[in-house]
Structure formats: structure tokens, C-alpha cells
Amino acid sequence: MAHIALDEKEISPIAKSPDVSTTASSEGGTKPKATCLQQHFSEESRNFQGSALKKTTRLLSNFIPLGTGRPHTELYPWTSSDANWPTSLNKPSGPEDRARVPSIYTLANALTYGTALGAPSLVQFLTEHMKSIHAPPYQDWAVCLTCGSTSALDIIFRTFTDRGDVILAEKYSYPGFIESSALAGVDIQPVDLDGQGLSPHKLGQILDQWNTLERPKPKVLYTIPSGQNPTGVTQSQERRRAIYEIAERHGLIIIEDDPYYFIQLGPNTASGGSNLESVSRQLVPSYISIDKSGRVIRLDSTSKILAPGLRAGWVTASQQVIDKYAAYHDLTTVSVSGLSQFVLHDLFNLQWGQEGFSTWLQALSLKYTQRRDITVAACHSFLPSDICSFAIPDHGMFLWVSIDLRMHPMYAAEGQMVQEWCSQVEDRILTLGLANGVQVTKGSLFFTERSSGEAELFFRLTFAAAKEQDLTEGVRIFANAVKTEFDCRGSV
Amino acid sequence: MAHIALDEKEISPIAKSPDVSTTASSEGGTKPKATCLQQHFSEESRNFQGSALKKTTRLLSNFIPLGTGRPHTELYPWTSSDANWPTSLNKPSGPEDRARVPSIYTLANALTYGTALGAPSLVQFLTEHMKSIHAPPYQDWAVCLTCGSTSALDIIFRTFTDRGDVILAEKYSYPGFIESSALAGVDIQPVDLDGQGLSPHKLGQILDQWNTLERPKPKVLYTIPSGQNPTGVTQSQERRRAIYEIAERHGLIIIEDDPYYFIQLGPNTASGGSNLESVSRQLVPSYISIDKSGRVIRLDSTSKILAPGLRAGWVTASQQVIDKYAAYHDLTTVSVSGLSQFVLHDLFNLQWGQEGFSTWLQALSLKYTQRRDITVAACHSFLPSDICSFAIPDHGMFLWVSIDLRMHPMYAAEGQMVQEWCSQVEDRILTLGLANGVQVTKGSLFFTERSSGEAELFFRLTFAAAKEQDLTEGVRIFANAVKTEFDCRGSV
Ligand SMILES: Cc1ncc(COP(=O)(O)O)c(C=O)c1O
Ligand SMILES: Cc1ncc(COP(=O)(O)O)c(C=O)c1O
């Protein structure tokens, strides 16, 4: 059985969490318990239990983590070998081309109340970054820091949706989005996707045929255009233009949630030249870069390209949207943590500059490409090709493995479209994997509708979280779990 | 005219903010402007403009800040003289009694996704702190970190209120609360307060006489029990018990928003022994310390006792409430910034321990006592005593100056209860103060109902934000503004 090494455990505070409620109550055996407040909860919160995905990671302890999109420490620009972090922060591991932007963000700035938009020096850096990479083709766009894209999604739901609304999204999507929409009381209208991502054809159909008498037409499309979570697919330039045209025609706002944009994976070298092989290319144009009318709200996050513990990202949109966003900051977190801003200011303005940031992103992409290649090679070696299939992603950190249920020995007898049986197969593979030392993520967590409706199961594998040398072993254990389920369990 | 010194400006990033929208649009004179999205905004957000209080501070530049409750840098435990913050963080200025809690929160922990509750080592420290100071008298209480109390209030509104609900609160209250309730679509039912804080008599009356046929009875009381914002009043022990009994009788949840609890001000020594003089006393029992049934949600913040830039605090309540709270974290900020947590862990567990934390709070209280005494002495010297009155606070950082409008030369002719005239007088005093170099906060920002209903105006003065040596001058300028308004302006 495979165990992860010590430094892996270090970055998993969840696993070691003491039972805090026990801590509090341990001295109180004779005290009464709190009265139940169920009737006090609001409509929004009454049945709200938090993130199911996050709950799965709470169970994590000694496994190769192929499940959670939590980049391994070696992928952060700050070195973790040095235990006294404050000093180590003085020497980020990136290139040292000092930018011209002066240091106008001091410790005193970091420690006092900050502004809703973010420290001016940081906002300026990110505005220049947006200008040079995306150059939104309208006048009044602006940038505001976010406390991460999860938080941004929550604020965007509050800004643009009322309970009972419908929002458009890829059929398989990020659980944080799915759960946020449930919390907001908003239904998701799934849109099919294929090897090139969200289908403009299907999107157009849905909107053209919408019965507005039954339900108001959706006014928001949520999409993850690059290295889509969970499918790993990246929309082509043509796709994006076609989808933007539909948005123009139907008055849609586009939420472009794009944390994997800069994790560009080169051509796959490990797979034996199969036709699944992806090609190297330039950065695809983002939605905001083709946004003539200011209908795109672009979310960038530092979580996948710097470090998720910062709880920092940025939103770019029209000034009116940014004003609203900043207003929400005033009454929620007020600002991004001053310390996170300080560290980002230090990295961007004092250490890296725009050039250094690019260099970092390129180096990071290379590391992810290596990790993907190792994972893909292991998948080719170990996954039973008659049962499992997957596309090789050219962005991001996810591999979406489809499992053909028709190959299951019990399929004819039990499997045909029986939701419960499918879930049982999914659970058994997951559990068997865990028992043997690998954690992967169940595809059903990403379903925007209850069932995929097809005779297939999915698992999402990530090559971001494990140590590079554990990836192959992780895939092998997962493949064995699939094989066992399809050989033996079926005939039990 | 008084100017604040350079280090004051340093902690005011707001004042120096470049016009970011200009930055973005400067290159785009020929580009179109974004389409108006007004019809896309939700019911909640449509008319939402953010915090009016925060907007007033945005105008700030070269003034003695007696307006905003933003502690001066000298009140933080980290030294700001050292510009390279990361290293300076290694030597907090507090006492150095190292605690027994081992360091189990590393840089790697800080940089990766954290848990909704907070780093176990921090939650444990705060749980012990709560146990030793407040010892909630029921079993299943727990602690969760917050991204500050403003954020906690927002989550609590979402957890406990639906649009159209009514929430009880002091007649004058924290603008963040007032604005959050407006955002949540919740009406505030004001409760009168006197020199001992919120009146249990009035509270009982309101609830006993509530017409439930007209509107569902409020189920939540929001109160700021110590050094109330804005009045500076602290509820006596008897008050708290009486109010808690009413909460029990009427099934109310109590939101105890208590950021000033530990800023205990000693007996006032500067004022000439007037009967306004406060008395020194032990910490008053908090609501949660008398909470037999788990109906109190207590909010603590690091903003006023450590540093607001951390965006960190903690909520203590029954396990069921904490579970809900953590669920909101999952889908909003995910966790408090890892760097803020790291710094707090370092301070609490490695540098201070429980003892050292207490020592810090005592030392801080002493500094605030000095600042209060200087301010009170200046008020006694400069404020016209026939027009202005105030109580000397024994907690917190605010002085609530009441101005008797009946003394205004124009009162008989124009003033009697005419809301607009009152606002004009208030604005003129504010503007005159600013013109001469002092910033104070208008009392009307704290009104939970449109008018105070009496022939008085209020200004809130804080002794937290200015440099100690500027306090007297600030009060003098303010007093002159009042005198000018009451002498000359009236006869213009
Ligand atoms: C599509 C997508 N959006 C947002 C997030 C979360 O980003 P953040 O850490 O900035 O909240 C993720 C992370 O898994 C993601 O895949
Ligand atoms: C009563 C009250 N609650 C909350 C806050 C804000 O606290 P935080 O900085 O933790 O959001 C303040 C600050 O002015 C306050 O006076």
C-alpha cells in the first residue's frame, strides 16, 4: 500500500484537525446541550450543509491524492523547506527582474483596513497584466481583487440572480459553482459539451427554444473555458466566438471562470503518438479579449498559479460590475487579507514584474506538462482500454476518465440506466481505491443534473496534488480498482 | 491648518488610490463603452451601493482622523518602522513567554487550501481562550475563524434572516450592521438605549406588544454590549442578565458583536473629577458566559486588538451554528487567508501563549485609556458645554458627542424637528471641520431610523486612529467648527 510522504501530510491540515467540538465540550459533561435552532434558520440556509467536495477531502489521510485540485507545495513560488516563512518570503524562487513600480505598500498598509478594490499598487499591476494579455476591446473595464474565485462566484450569484432563476453552464461543472447555485436557489440549465468544450449549437438551441411563458429566460452563462473542471477540455477560438455571438444575440452575461488559463500543457510526449495527442499552441483568446460590449465577467485566481492559501484572485469586468463587486466587499470581507496583498505586491512589483510573472507561468506550465505526461503514460499502461477512455488535456490539471458501464458483467442484468446501481459501482471503485492508497474524485459530484443519462461513469484524476513520483503508482492502484470491479465484483 | 504626519498617510492607501478605471480606459478613447447591465442585477443588489461610512473615509487625505475606528499603527503588535515586514514579523513586540502548543502550522499549511474552521492549532488556542475568559455554560459550543466581524455579520444575516424579517438592535448602531440589514432586505426595529446601554424595559415592551398578525415577531437581537459603536456605552452585568432573560422568554437569538470587549478603559484621570467620571472594573460577563441554552452567537475580531488588515476574527456559538457558518466558508472565502492564520498562529502559539495575549490586551487598554483621557480633557477644554455633552466611555474607542440643537440661533425659526435643516447643520459642522483639518463622523450614519426624533445632533469621535499628539488639536478644531456654526452661521 502506498503512503504519501511526510511533507504531503504537512499540507493537509484537514487530516490532522483535532475534533474541536470535543475540545470545547470535553469539560462539560454535566452542562446542558444547546437548544435546537432549526426554526431560526433562513430559507437560504436551512438545508445548506456546505461543500460535498470539501467533505470528501476531509476524510483524506494517507493516500496518493489524485482527487483534489490542490497544487502540491513544489508548485508554489515560495519555498516550503524553510520553516520560518516570514524570512523565506524575502526570497521567492522566481526570476529577479525588479520591476519599475515603486514599493508603495508597506507593513502599515498591510495591517490596517484595506480598500475594497485592493492595494492600488496591486490593482495597477493586475490592470497592466490584463491590458497586455487580454486587452478588453471596450473602454470602461476595471479590476478588483477577490478573496478567491469561490468567493467571487458567491458575490456574482448575489449580484445577478434571484431565487428561482435559471443559469446556463456546462453539463459537468465545478462543484463549488453547482453548490453556490443551490445556495442561491438558482437552477442550472446544463449545456452539452464535447471534445472542444461547451457546444454553441446546443446553447443556441436551448435559448431559441426557451419557453419564456414557463420560466424567464436565463441571463447568465457560467463557463470554464480552459482546462475545464472536471473534463479538462479547452474551448477553441471558434467556439468562443460562436458562444460570444449567441450571448450578444440573447443578452447573456458570461461568467468566464478561468483559473487554468495559464496552465498550458505542451504536446503530449509520453503517449505513443496516438490520435488523442494534443497540439501545442498560443494562449487562446479569452472571452474578455473579444468582449465588445462589456458582458463578460472574468475571474482569475492565484490558487492554481501561485498558492491557494492566499485566498486571492481578481475579477475583471465593466466598471458598473466592479463597483457592485467592491460594494459587496465593503459589507463582507472588506478587503483581501493585507498580508496576502503584501506578499503579492512583493512578488509582482518588487521581485517579478510583468516579465517575471510570465516566466513563472511558463515554468509552471512545464512542470504541469511533465506531470500530465507521467499521468497519461500511466493511464495508457494501466487503465483497461476497453472500459476506460479519456482525452489528453492541453490546459489545467484534470483528466476525466470515462468508464463504459456496458462492459460491466452485471450491466445487462442490473445496470441499464439504473441510477442506484451506477452509484454503487462508482462508490465501490472509489472505496477500493482508497483502501489501496489512492484518492480520486467521483464524477457524479460534477453533474449538474442527477444522472449523466448515459451508460457511463466518470472519475476525475488530477496530477496537481500528489508528489510527481507517486502519480504512476496512484494511477496503477486506481486502474486495479476499476479492473477488480469489472472482473470480480460484477460476478459476486 | 493641521496636517497628519507621513506615517499616518502611509496607512491610508485609500487616499492615494490611483483612479483605476482611468488606468484601464486611458488607452481606449475610441473603444465603445460597456452596455448597461442594470436589468441584469438581482433584487438584492440592484440598489446596493456599498458602505456609506467607507465612502466617507475614501475622501480622507490630510486630516486628523477622529472619524474612523481604524487603530493607529502604534497600536498593532507588529512594528511598522521596519519596512521589510516578513522579517519584522519574526519579532512581535509583545512579551515572549513561549506557549506549550507546538508549532504544527507551517508555511506549507499557510499556502495551501485551508479548512473552513481555521487551522487546528489556532482554533485550539481560541477555544482555550474562550474557555478561560467566557466558559459558555453549555456543552456543545465551538469556535470558527471568521474573515472579520463584518463578514461574520453578512453570513449571520444569510443564516438567520429572510427578506422582510425584522431584527432588533440598539437605536444607534454600527453602520456595517445597518447596511448589511438593508442588503439582506431586513428591517431594523430600534431599541432605545441610555447610559447603561440597550434598555431591557423597552426591549420587553416591544416584544410583549408585538402584533404578530401584522408581522412575524423578530427572532434575532443584534447588540454591541461593550464600548458600543457609536455611543461608547457598556452594558452593566444586570442589564445583560435582564436582556438574556427576555431573549429566553421570547426565543431570541442574541448576536453579541463585541470587538471592544478587551479595550477596557480605566478610571478617567484627566477630567476634573466630574460626575461623568467612569469607574474601573473587572471584565463584565459576556452574553455567551451566561448563555445556558446556546442562543448567543459571539463575534470577536482581531481588528481592534491586533490589526484590521488581517481580516480575521472568530465566532463562538453552538455546534449547529458553527457547522452552518463553516458551510458558508466552504462556498465563500473557503478559509481565512493562510498568511493571516500563519501570523496569528505565530503570535498566539509561538510568541505569546494565553498569558502573553492577556498581557498584550492589558497594555493595549492602557494605551487606549491614555488616548481617551487626552481626548476627554480636550473635550472639556474646548467643547462649549452648553451645546455639547458626552459620557466618558469605559470601553472601546468612541466618544459620542451630543449637540443640543435648541441652542442654535436658528432653532426657533427653522430647526424644530425639521429633518433637512438638522442634516444641513450636521453637514456644515463636518465640512468646516474638514476644511480646518479634522475628520469626525456624522451621527446620522448610525441612525437605524431616519431621524433621531429629538432636538439633537451627534458626532462620533474616535481616539484610535490619530496620532496621540494630534488628538487635542483635532478636538479643538472640531469644537471651533461647532462654535462657528452655533454663533455665526446661524445668523447668516
Ligand atoms: C473552475 C474553478 N473555479 C474556481 C475554483 C476555486 O478557486 P479559488 O481557490 O480561487 O476559490 C476552482 C478550484 O478548484 C475551479 O476549478
Ligand atoms: C460593532 C462593530 N462590529 C464590527 C466591526 C468591524 O469589524 P471587522 O474589522 O472585524 O470586520 C466594527 C468596526 O468598526 C464594529 O464597530
Side-chain angles (χ1 to χ4, degrees):
Chain A
M1 175 173 154
H3 289 276
I4 53 166
L6 203 72
D7 69 337
E8 196 61 50
K9 273 189 269 176
E10 271 178 16
I11 68 161
S12 186
I14 306 152
K16 294 181 302 186
S17 172
D19 187 338
V20 177
S21 63
T22 313
T23 314
S25 66
S26 60
E27 34 106 54
T30 60
K31 292 180 181 178
K33 287 198 89 180
T35 331
C36 177
L37 299 179
Q38 191 58 26
Q39 78 286 6
H40 284 80
F41 289 132
S42 67
E43 187 188 345
E44 176 183 280
S45 76
R46 197 158 297 142
N47 298 310
F48 174 48
Q49 309 287 347
S51 162
L53 183 67
K54 296 235 152 55
K55 284 199 180 65
T56 68
T57 66
R58 255 166 228 158
L59 306 170
L60 238 180
S61 64
N62 282 337
F63 305 104
I64 297 176
L66 300 186
T68 336
R70 172 199 290 268
H72 189 273
T73 333
E74 73 169 32
L75 300 164
Y76 303 153
W78 298 280
T79 53
S80 64
S81 55
D82 188 344
N84 61 339
W85 152 75
T87 356
S88 76
L89 276 184
N90 278 333
K91 28 180 166 78
S93 54
E96 298 250 355
D97 58 331
R98 298 195 157 258
R100 302 111 301 163
V101 184
S103 166
I104 49 162
Y105 191 71
T106 64
L107 173 64
N109 294 135
L111 290 176
T112 194
Y113 280 113
T115 55
L117 286 180
S121 61
L122 255 184
V123 173
Q124 194 184 324
F125 182 90
L126 294 171
T127 304
E128 277 167 22
H129 163 83
M130 290 305 298
K131 233 185 235 173
S132 80
I133 307 280
H134 304 278
Y138 66 98
Q139 266 190 53
D140 50 336
W141 59 273
V143 170
C144 178
L145 293 198
T146 69
C147 296
S149 293
T150 309
S151 160
L153 278 178
D154 178 64
I155 291 177
I156 287 167
F157 267 109
R158 295 175 74 173
T159 306
F160 290 105
T161 66
D162 293 308
R163 297 190 87 75
D165 277 2
V166 180
I167 190 168
L168 297 151
E170 280 105 357
K171 179 178 178 177
Y172 310 120
S173 190
Y174 169 53
F177 162 75
I178 298 171
E179 287 159 344
S180 276
S181 73
L183 180 64
V186 169
D187 291 326
I188 298 171
Q189 167 64 54
V191 185
D192 283 346
L193 31 62
D194 59 22
Q196 289 203 72
L198 189 141
S199 158
H201 175 68
K202 295 282 182 176
L203 179 67
Q205 242 178 16
I206 289 168
L207 288 165
D208 288 335
Q209 294 166 9
W210 195 270
N211 183 347
T212 46
L213 295 174
E214 233 171 56
R215 230 173 165 178
K217 213 161 138 178
K219 45 185 186 167
V220 182
L221 165 69
Y222 169 79
T223 183
I224 308 163
S226 323
Q228 206 254 356
N229 188 356
T231 63
V233 168
T234 300
Q235 293 165 14
S236 65
Q237 183 165 352
E238 300 69 48
R239 279 281 160 109
R240 293 172 193 231
R241 292 199 184 277
I243 290 165
Y244 187 82
E245 279 316 306
I246 294 170
E248 287 272 275
R249 188 143 42 86
H250 291 275
L252 293 181
I253 288 173
I254 298 176
I255 314 297
E256 171 172 50
D257 185 8
D258 211 2
Y260 309 106
Y261 185 67
F262 288 108
I263 305 183
Q264 261 197 297
L265 310 174
N268 174 242
T269 52
S271 72
S274 78
N275 58 3
L276 290 170
E277 201 165 280
S278 67
V279 287
S280 160
R281 48 181 175 178
Q282 296 297 98
L283 285 170
V284 208
S286 63
Y287 278 102
I288 208 165
S289 75
I290 58 171
D291 183 18
K292 310 187 282 289
S293 47
R295 61 176 65 259
V296 173
I297 299 170
R298 179 176 168 86
L299 304 183
D300 282 282
S301 172
T302 64
S303 288
K304 314 295 177 176
I305 55 174
L306 296 171
L310 301 171
R311 304 317 302 135
W314 63 100
V315 52
T316 312
S318 67
Q319 186 69 49
Q320 60 192 311
V321 171
I322 294 301
D323 287 347
K324 225 33 132 178
Y325 197 93
Y328 271 98
H329 265 189
D330 277 353
L331 294 190
T332 55
T333 51
V334 181
S335 72
V336 171
S337 158
L339 302 191
S340 296
Q341 293 195 60
F342 190 90
V343 165
L344 286 172
H345 165 74
D346 180 66
L347 196 63
F348 286 151
N349 287 329
L350 305 186
Q351 308 287 341
W352 281 356
Q354 302 288 346
E355 269 291 301
F357 187 23
S358 289
T359 310
W360 166 258
L361 293 169
Q362 280 158 27
L364 189 68
S365 289
L366 219 62
K367 287 191 201 171
Y368 272 106
T369 304
Q370 260 167 31
R371 286 171 161 265
R372 180 207 54 191
D373 288 348
I374 292 168
T375 310
V376 164
C379 284
H380 283 310
S381 303
F382 300 120
L383 289 181
S385 63
D386 51 339
I387 302 171
C388 300
S389 58
F390 60 93
I392 301 180
D394 55 24
H395 273 83
M397 48 176 69
F398 300 118
L399 214 75
W400 183 239
V401 177
S402 156
I403 294 187
D404 188 345
L405 282 174
R406 288 167 308 182
M407 303 299 291
H408 198 287
M410 299 300 284
Y411 180 72
E414 303 206 34
Q416 289 176 50
M417 301 295 108
V418 180
Q419 178 66 32
E420 202 186 312
W421 179 78
C422 297
S423 300
Q424 287 165 359
V425 175
E426 191 184 39
D427 280 337
R428 279 200 300 266
I429 294 174
L430 182 81
T431 309
L432 198 58
L434 280 172
N436 289 296
V438 72
Q439 185 237 10
V440 295
T441 305
K442 296 200 286 189
S444 57
L445 282 175
F446 305 92
F447 290 5
T448 56
E449 36 193 6
R450 192 149 176 272
S451 146
S452 85
E454 282 136 51
E456 60 186 337
L457 279 185
F458 298 95
F459 285 92
R460 192 195 69 179
L461 273 53
T462 177
F463 37 87
K467 282 197 288 192
E468 202 174 292
Q469 62 265 39
D470 284 345
L471 289 168
T472 306
E473 177 63 1
V475 172
R476 198 189 59 79
I477 301 170
F478 168 67
N480 279 343
V482 174
K483 286 180 201 158
T484 307
E485 170 66 29
F486 275 68
D487 289 345
C488 322
R489 296 294 180 113
S491 53
V492 161
Chain B
M1 175 172 153
H3 289 278
I4 53 166
L6 202 71
D7 70 336
E8 197 62 47
K9 273 189 268 175
E10 268 178 20
I11 69 162
S12 187
I14 304 151
K16 293 180 305 186
S17 173
D19 188 340
V20 176
S21 65
T22 312
T23 313
S25 65
S26 60
E27 35 108 52
T30 59
K31 293 178 181 180
K33 286 198 90 179
T35 331
C36 177
L37 299 179
Q38 191 58 23
Q39 78 285 6
H40 283 80
F41 289 132
S42 67
E43 189 188 343
E44 177 182 281
S45 75
R46 196 158 299 140
N47 298 311
F48 174 49
Q49 309 286 348
S51 163
L53 183 67
K54 296 235 152 58
K55 285 199 179 63
T56 69
T57 67
R58 253 166 232 157
L59 306 171
L60 239 179
S61 63
N62 282 337
F63 305 105
I64 298 177
L66 300 187
T68 336
R70 169 198 292 266
H72 188 272
T73 334
E74 74 169 32
L75 299 164
Y76 304 152
W78 297 280
T79 52
S80 64
S81 55
D82 189 344
N84 60 338
W85 153 75
T87 356
S88 76
L89 275 184
N90 277 334
K91 30 181 165 76
S93 54
E96 295 250 356
D97 58 332
R98 297 196 155 256
R100 305 112 301 166
V101 185
S103 165
I104 50 163
Y105 192 72
T106 65
L107 173 65
N109 294 134
L111 291 176
T112 193
Y113 280 114
T115 57
L117 286 179
S121 61
L122 254 184
V123 173
Q124 193 184 325
F125 181 90
L126 294 170
T127 304
E128 277 166 24
H129 163 83
M130 289 305 298
K131 235 186 233 174
S132 79
I133 308 278
H134 304 278
Y138 67 98
Q139 265 189 53
D140 49 335
W141 59 274
V143 170
C144 179
L145 293 197
T146 68
C147 296
S149 293
T150 309
S151 160
L153 278 178
D154 177 64
I155 291 177
I156 288 167
F157 267 109
R158 295 174 74 173
T159 306
F160 289 105
T161 66
D162 292 309
R163 297 190 87 74
D165 277 2
V166 181
I167 190 167
L168 297 151
E170 281 104 356
K171 180 178 177 176
Y172 309 121
S173 190
Y174 169 54
F177 163 76
I178 299 171
E179 287 159 344
S180 275
S181 73
L183 180 62
V186 169
D187 291 326
I188 298 172
Q189 167 64 54
V191 184
D192 282 347
L193 31 61
D194 59 22
Q196 290 203 71
L198 188 142
S199 160
H201 175 69
K202 296 283 184 178
L203 179 66
Q205 242 178 15
I206 289 168
L207 288 165
D208 288 336
Q209 295 166 7
W210 195 270
N211 184 348
T212 47
L213 295 175
E214 232 172 56
R215 229 172 165 180
K217 212 162 134 177
K219 45 186 187 165
V220 182
L221 166 68
Y222 170 79
T223 183
I224 307 163
S226 323
Q228 205 253 355
N229 188 357
T231 63
V233 168
T234 299
Q235 293 167 14
S236 66
Q237 185 166 349
E238 300 70 47
R239 280 282 159 108
R240 292 170 194 233
R241 291 196 185 279
I243 290 165
Y244 187 81
E245 280 317 306
I246 293 169
E248 287 273 274
R249 189 143 43 84
H250 291 274
L252 293 181
I253 289 174
I254 299 177
I255 313 298
E256 171 172 49
D257 185 8
D258 212 2
Y260 309 106
Y261 185 68
F262 288 109
I263 304 184
Q264 262 196 296
L265 310 175
N268 173 242
T269 52
S271 72
S274 79
N275 58 3
L276 290 171
E277 202 164 280
S278 67
V279 290
S280 159
R281 48 182 175 180
Q282 295 298 97
L283 283 170
V284 208
S286 63
Y287 278 102
I288 208 166
S289 75
I290 58 171
D291 182 18
K292 309 186 284 289
S293 47
R295 62 175 65 260
V296 174
I297 299 170
R298 179 177 168 84
L299 303 184
D300 282 282
S301 172
T302 64
S303 289
K304 313 297 176 174
I305 55 174
L306 296 172
L310 301 172
R311 302 318 302 133
W314 63 99
V315 53
T316 312
S318 67
Q319 186 69 51
Q320 58 193 312
V321 173
I322 296 300
D323 286 348
K324 220 47 127 176
Y325 197 93
Y328 271 98
H329 265 186
D330 277 354
L331 294 191
T332 54
T333 51
V334 181
S335 72
V336 172
S337 158
L339 302 190
S340 296
Q341 293 195 59
F342 191 90
V343 165
L344 286 172
H345 165 75
D346 180 67
L347 196 63
F348 286 151
N349 288 328
L350 305 186
Q351 308 286 341
W352 282 355
Q354 302 287 345
E355 271 291 304
F357 188 23
S358 289
T359 311
W360 166 259
L361 293 169
Q362 280 157 30
L364 189 67
S365 289
L366 219 64
K367 286 192 201 170
Y368 272 105
T369 304
Q370 262 168 32
R371 286 171 161 266
R372 181 209 53 192
D373 288 348
I374 292 168
T375 311
V376 164
C379 286
H380 282 310
S381 306
F382 300 120
L383 289 181
S385 62
D386 51 339
I387 300 172
C388 299
S389 59
F390 59 93
I392 300 180
D394 56 21
H395 274 83
M397 49 177 67
F398 300 118
L399 214 75
W400 184 238
V401 177
S402 157
I403 294 186
D404 189 344
L405 281 175
R406 289 167 308 184
M407 304 299 291
H408 197 287
M410 300 299 283
Y411 179 73
E414 303 208 32
Q416 289 175 53
M417 302 295 108
V418 181
Q419 178 65 33
E420 203 186 312
W421 180 78
C422 297
S423 300
Q424 286 165 359
V425 175
E426 192 184 36
D427 279 338
R428 279 200 299 264
I429 294 174
L430 183 83
T431 309
L432 198 56
L434 279 173
N436 288 296
V438 72
Q439 183 237 10
V440 295
T441 305
K442 296 201 285 188
S444 56
L445 281 176
F446 305 91
F447 290 4
T448 56
E449 33 192 9
R450 193 150 176 272
S451 147
S452 84
E454 282 137 52
E456 60 187 335
L457 278 186
F458 299 95
F459 284 92
R460 194 195 69 178
L461 273 54
T462 177
F463 37 89
K467 282 197 287 192
E468 204 174 291
Q469 62 265 37
D470 284 345
L471 288 168
T472 305
E473 176 64 1
V475 171
R476 198 188 61 77
I477 300 169
F478 168 67
N480 279 344
V482 174
K483 286 180 203 157
T484 307
E485 170 65 28
F486 275 68
D487 288 345
C488 320
R489 294 296 178 111
S491 54
V492 161

